[in-house]
């Protein structure tokens, strides 16, 4: 099927990755083509047409392949949704290692665009009151959430970045003032506690991995999202058996 000249196209996905980086080790199974409008275009086994008017605002006329920086930006925008998530994260880490740079503003713009196609997608709202936050559908509080934090760390890291006078809302400015290791501690501790709340009957490594993925998709503030993704390989494995630690301390408190 021929595409109208007015409908711009751009090769994206694994084909673009392989074009820019011949050492990319996954062979494309098909060709992904972004189009401004997908009307009257039918994907086949060999070619998949994907409507995305956003990226064409930032792509020069006549460009055939998406450039590496925009490809990274596009891939990162997919990490908010549980669709081929592990593949996208692998690709993001590959592109970051290659020195590619993302555009955070475009990531947010793409995220808002994708949400139209995923109306059931939800994120934690840290502007809620503490009571409302822990009674909405995507947050748990079987045991006092803040107390679980103290079982991991007697001086919980998240307290360093709370907005003054708030119980839940955290401050981007305060987070940015932390050392690199302190930032990692904030994320690890939050994932430990949330993983315990949801998956305490699972192996701690499995529970942590599942929760880190969910944290990126649904819980990390948008401004924190790039830091978590950039440093995913540094935090993608639990450093302690937090499930045993929390269960042991809770049992001790009950006896």
């Amino acid at each position: 099927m021929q595409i109208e000249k007015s409908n711009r196209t751009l090769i994206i996905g694994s084909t673009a990755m392989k074009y820019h980086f011949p050492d990319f080790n996954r062979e494309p199974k098909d060709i992904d083509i972004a189009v401004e409008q997908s009307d009257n275009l039918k994907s086949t086994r060999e070619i998949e047409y994907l409507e995305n008017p956003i990226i064409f605002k930032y792509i020069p006329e006549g460009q055939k392949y998406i450039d590496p920086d925009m490809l990274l930006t596009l891939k990162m925008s997919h990490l908010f949704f549980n669709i081929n998530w592990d593949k996208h994260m692998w690709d993001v880490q590959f592109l970051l290692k290659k020195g590619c740079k993302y555009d955070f503003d475009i990531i947010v713009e793409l995220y808002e665009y994708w949400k139209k196609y995923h109306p059931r997608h939800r994120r934690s709202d840290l502007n809620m009151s503490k009571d409302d936050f822990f009674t909405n559908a995507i947050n748990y509080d079987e045991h006092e959430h803040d107390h679980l934090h103290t079982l991991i760390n007697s001086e919980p890291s998240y307290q360093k970045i709370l907005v003054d006078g708030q119980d839940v809302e955290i401050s981007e400015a305060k987070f940015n003032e932390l050392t690199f290791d302190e930032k990692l501690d904030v994320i690890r501790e939050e994932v430990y506690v949330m993983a315990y709340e949801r998956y305490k009957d699972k192996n701690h490594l499995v529970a942590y991995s599942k929760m880190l993925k969910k944290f990126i998709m649904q819980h990390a503030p948008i401004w924190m999202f790039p830091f978590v993704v950039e440093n995913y390989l540094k935090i993608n494995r639990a450093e302690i058996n937090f499930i045993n630690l929390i269960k042991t301390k809770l049992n001790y408190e009950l006896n």
Side-chain angles (χ1 to χ4, degrees):
M1 177 180 293
Q2 290 187 342
I3 303 172
E4 296 179 7
K5 290 183 179 180
S6 60
N7 194 8
R8 296 171 63 194
T9 67
L10 187 71
I11 296 175
I12 59 175
S14 299
T15 302
M17 293 275 280
K18 197 72 174 177
Y19 172 79
H20 292 296
F21 304 105
D23 60 331
F24 182 66
N25 65 3
R26 189 172 69 243
E27 292 297 328
K29 295 181 179 179
D30 57 7
I31 301 176
D32 292 334
I33 299 180
V35 294
E36 287 183 297
Q37 297 181 6
S38 60
D39 296 346
N40 302 319
L41 293 174
K42 185 176 181 180
S43 297
T44 67
R45 184 174 298 180
E46 292 79 24
I47 298 176
E48 184 173 9
Y49 296 109
L50 301 162
E51 185 171 314
N52 187 339
I54 304 299
I55 57 174
F56 287 99
K57 294 161 58 176
Y58 308 99
I59 298 293
E61 285 280 354
Q63 185 170 315
K64 183 176 181 181
Y65 290 88
I66 190 172
D67 61 86
D69 289 348
M70 186 60 74
L71 182 56
L72 172 60
T73 299
L74 178 61
K75 286 280 185 181
M76 287 181 68
S77 78
H78 292 322
L79 294 177
F80 292 106
F81 307 96
N82 194 18
I83 302 173
N84 297 321
W85 195 91
D86 293 318
K87 182 185 76 169
H88 288 309
M89 179 58 84
W90 196 97
D91 292 349
V92 164
Q93 298 306 318
F94 177 89
L95 291 166
L96 287 171
K97 189 175 181 180
K98 289 293 185 181
C100 300
K101 305 297 182 183
Y102 60 84
D103 187 307
F104 178 66
D105 291 336
I106 299 177
I107 289 174
V108 174
E109 188 175 1
L110 285 166
Y111 171 57
E112 294 299 325
Y113 175 73
W114 300 137
K115 284 198 299 183
K116 298 175 184 178
Y117 296 91
H118 304 280
R120 298 177 66 181
H121 174 76
R122 298 180 63 195
R123 294 190 70 77
S124 292
D125 181 359
L126 298 181
N127 292 315
M128 290 180 176
S129 69
K130 184 176 179 180
D131 288 342
D132 289 341
F133 182 79
F134 287 112
T135 54
N136 73 62
I138 59 176
N139 298 296
Y140 292 54
D141 193 25
E142 179 182 345
H143 294 283
E144 172 68 22
H145 180 89
D146 292 349
H147 179 58
L148 294 180
H149 269 283
T150 66
L151 302 182
I152 296 291
N153 180 355
S154 60
E155 297 182 359
S157 294
Y158 80 90
Q159 292 181 352
K160 298 176 183 178
I161 61 171
L162 282 175
V163 171
D164 293 343
Q166 298 298 315
D167 295 316
V168 174
E169 186 179 359
I170 56 178
S171 164
E172 180 179 3
K174 288 185 177 182
F175 182 80
N176 290 337
E177 291 174 355
L178 298 178
T179 67
F180 179 76
D181 287 338
E182 286 175 331
K183 292 175 181 177
L184 297 184
D185 287 341
V186 167
I187 296 163
R188 287 195 188 99
E189 289 178 22
E190 192 61 41
V191 175
Y192 288 156
V193 170
M194 298 178 83
Y196 178 83
E197 291 172 321
R198 291 157 175 77
Y199 308 121
K200 57 179 169 286
D201 294 329
K202 297 184 181 294
N203 172 276
H204 72 284
L205 296 176
V206 173
Y208 180 87
S209 179
K210 286 174 67 70
M211 191 62 238
L212 179 59
K213 177 178 176 180
K214 188 179 285 288
F215 180 76
I216 292 170
M217 290 191 297
Q218 292 186 310
H219 298 285
I222 295 293
W223 53 259
M224 186 186 287
F225 170 85
F227 179 86
V228 183
V229 172
E230 282 188 64
N231 295 286
Y232 178 77
L233 296 181
K234 294 182 176 67
I235 56 173
N236 70 338
R237 184 178 176 87
E239 293 189 331
I240 59 173
N241 189 332
F242 60 94
I243 292 179
N244 280 351
L245 176 63
I246 292 175
K247 284 183 176 180
T248 298
K249 290 188 175 183
L250 285 175
N251 286 335
Y252 178 79
E253 291 177 348
L254 292 173
N255 296 322

